[in-house]
Amino acid sequence: MKREGRRTSVFTRRALVMMAAQTTALGLLAARLYRVQVEEGARYAVLAENNRISARLLAPARGRILDRFGTVVAGNTLNWRALLLAEETTDVSGTLDRFSAIVALADHDRARIEREVAHSRRFIPVMLRDFLSWDDMAKIEVNAPDLPGVLVDVGTTRHYPLGPDMAHVVGYVAPPSDDDAGDEPVLALPGMRVGRAGVEKFQEDALRGDAGQVQMEVNAVGRVIRELDRNDGRAGADVTLAIDTGLQQSVLGLLGDQSASAVVMDCTNGEVLAMATNPSFDPSLFDSGVSEAQWAEWTSNRRTPLINKALAGSYPPGSTFKMIVGLAALHVGALSATEQLHCPGYIDVGDTRFHCWRKGGHGPLDMRGGLKHSCDVFFYEAARRTGIDAVAEMATTFGFGVVPAVDLPGARPGLIPTQAWRAQHRRHWGAGDTIISGIGQGVIQATPLQLATYVARIATGRVVQPHVTRAIEGDTATPDVAATLEVSETDLSLVRGGMFAVVNEAGGTAPHARLGLPGVALAGKTGSSQVRRVSRWTREHGHFNSANLPWEFRPHALFVCFAPYDAPRYACAVVIEHGNAGADVAAPLARDIMRDTLQRDPARRQVAPGQSVALR
């Protein structure tokens, strides 16, 4: 009995200990449940809701680019694309084999797909092929039972209706790089594109828009159950250009197959009405992918189709620079308006003889006559008296030697030398350097856009700034009235008169540039800039003809002008690479461009989007 009592006592103590332990555990559990459900219930409810709802970004539609009359020059079109859902196939490699037998996959594309499948969750689609043709899409649909996990989806692609005609202005888009997508989650979305050149690049922020968002209900492993809410975001803004596409195409037609560029500008407000570069390229290829063969063809072409020559083509301005030299000489008092200089056909500086383009010389000429006849000796002497620093200061006033304040990427500053510039390069600036600068040769460089801006400033006497964008989402960017140039109006009138004489008076160097329009006169200046030095012996004893040189050694042909002379509205600059004589080649072309511009009169004509512009 005593032994039995001891057993009962031990059992009772153990039971009490177990009960105490259980009570303690239950108490702790109750306390934890109270904390989770009561004290922190709201926080865990939010976490649970977030686990249930998956928010995903939606790619915004890219904004359109329009010309000044509403013609679409960059828009969006739908395209078919094939995606792969790895979770719906047990054999990704086999699916890819069967797919590539229907729609060819390059080795690098297959490697990319396999890499993305390996590093992505299996229910996230991976791009197989973009830009499918209708036939390819139909083949995939017909063979769908043999392609588990493959689905056809609709995406968008950038469309350029005018193709090469507007390529250098509008630019192009391409898939974002890893660096691009690093700070912008929306750029990691399938089908997103970013601007890489032209307006597409400069106006990227406006054109891209804001990403949308869709809320999806998902299960514990993240698979979509249903869509709960959708916000499509904000599409990119429409950007309206100052360009008249009708005029742009007309200018390109006049340039023909020459390696050339031309700029037409409203010289009252700086709107660029046409900016043509030839040859060009198809901008849509950058969206779908440029082949190695196409890239090799572009980069090996000595006429550089990928470069916007109007912005980035730097050329010696030749005799078109003579107005700068004349204005600088008048400004510092090195010459007066009526002072005459004698041209015997050359000028000797030390041991070097600098020739005039006219072998027998021009005789005595004043400033107006010097411009009219484009006398080299007159401007050699004008530059010698003025000095390179004063010439450079005047050139900068008219937009040379600085990057134009244009709303396009890639503009180059050209080059206007000074003595300080030469000292930085540890070379002495000699008298001969100043002499050849007087006719826009030597190291002086300018772009066609700078030349057009320069002529617009001469025509108006104002600091006109070129710009391509006219409005963003309908909000017109009306430019402020340009400031007045700090140049004597009397001197500007004298130079304008010289440019008028170049075209309209007997003996001028550009009679082929006369407009032939009743009551409308054009004022301009010819230029031929050498790219290879011609020796003194060849000039004096040889029968030199630059037209017989290989193409790349011939001079560039230039012409700058404005019209109407009495009430300037349009400025134009034409540069034909290795075109030889500006008077014979560039001047007639500029005449035709200006005549077409005046007949279209885009600066004054308001046309509703979709309407055509008929010539008067």
Side-chain angles (χ1 to χ4, degrees), residues 297-349:
E297 178 185 334
W298 283 338
T299 55
S300 63
N301 189 335
R302 62 180 180 174
R303 301 198 304 163
T304 60
L306 294 178
I307 294 177
N308 185 346
K309 296 183 175 73
L311 283 178
S314 291
Y315 310 92
S319 293
T320 63
F321 194 69
K322 289 175 178 176
M323 287 86 79
I324 290 291
V325 178
L327 287 168
L330 293 168
H331 183 72
V332 301
L335 282 174
S336 68
T338 57
E339 183 177 356
Q340 292 189 338
L341 301 177
H342 182 71
C343 169
Y346 61 87
I347 184 173
D348 290 327
V349 179

Side-chain angles (χ1 to χ4, degrees), residues 22 52 93 100-101 143 147 168 211 215 223 263 265 269 283 319 343 369 402 447 460 473 512 517 555 571 600 607:
Q22 291 175 346
R52 184 180 72 88
S93 180
S100 60
N143 290 276
L147 298 171
H168 290 104
Q215 290 188 337
R223 187 173 301 169
V263 176
M265 182 187 299
N269 60 19
S319 293
C343 169
V402 295
T447 68
T460 62
E473 201 63 24
H512 299 309
L517 297 176
R600 292 174 183 272
V607 177

Side-chain angles (χ1 to χ4, degrees), residues 60-65 74-76 158 200 206-209 235-239 473:
R62 193 169 179 84
R64 300 178 302 167
I65 303 176
N76 304 309
R158 202 64 165 160
E200 293 275 29
L207 291 167
R208 184 185 301 176
D238 285 349
V239 174
E473 201 63 24

Side-chain angles (χ1 to χ4, degrees), residues 67 73 162-171 241 243 245 248 252 280 283:
D67 86 335
V73 295
L162 300 184
D165 292 351
M166 287 288 290
H168 290 104
V169 176
V170 174
L241 306 182
I243 299 288
T245 52
Q248 175 86 359
L252 283 167
S280 188

Side-chain angles (χ1 to χ4, degrees), residues 28-102:
L28 292 173
L29 179 60
R32 181 60 180 165
L33 288 173
Y34 179 82
R35 183 177 180 183
V36 169
Q37 295 185 2
V38 179
E39 294 181 357
E40 298 184 2
R43 184 172 73 89
Y44 283 108
V46 171
L47 291 175
E49 183 69 10
N50 288 342
N51 286 335
R52 184 180 72 88
I53 299 174
S54 174
R56 302 181 183 180
L57 293 175
L58 295 176
R62 193 169 179 84
R64 300 178 302 167
I65 303 176
L66 316 172
D67 86 335
R68 68 187 297 115
F69 298 122
T71 301
V72 177
V73 295
N76 304 309
T77 58
L78 299 179
N79 71 285
W80 299 102
R81 57 190 183 184
L83 305 177
L84 173 66
L85 281 172
E87 72 167 354
E88 295 185 4
T89 178
T90 58
D91 182 8
V92 171
S93 180
T95 298
L96 292 179
D97 289 339
R98 290 188 290 275
F99 181 86
S100 60
I102 298 170

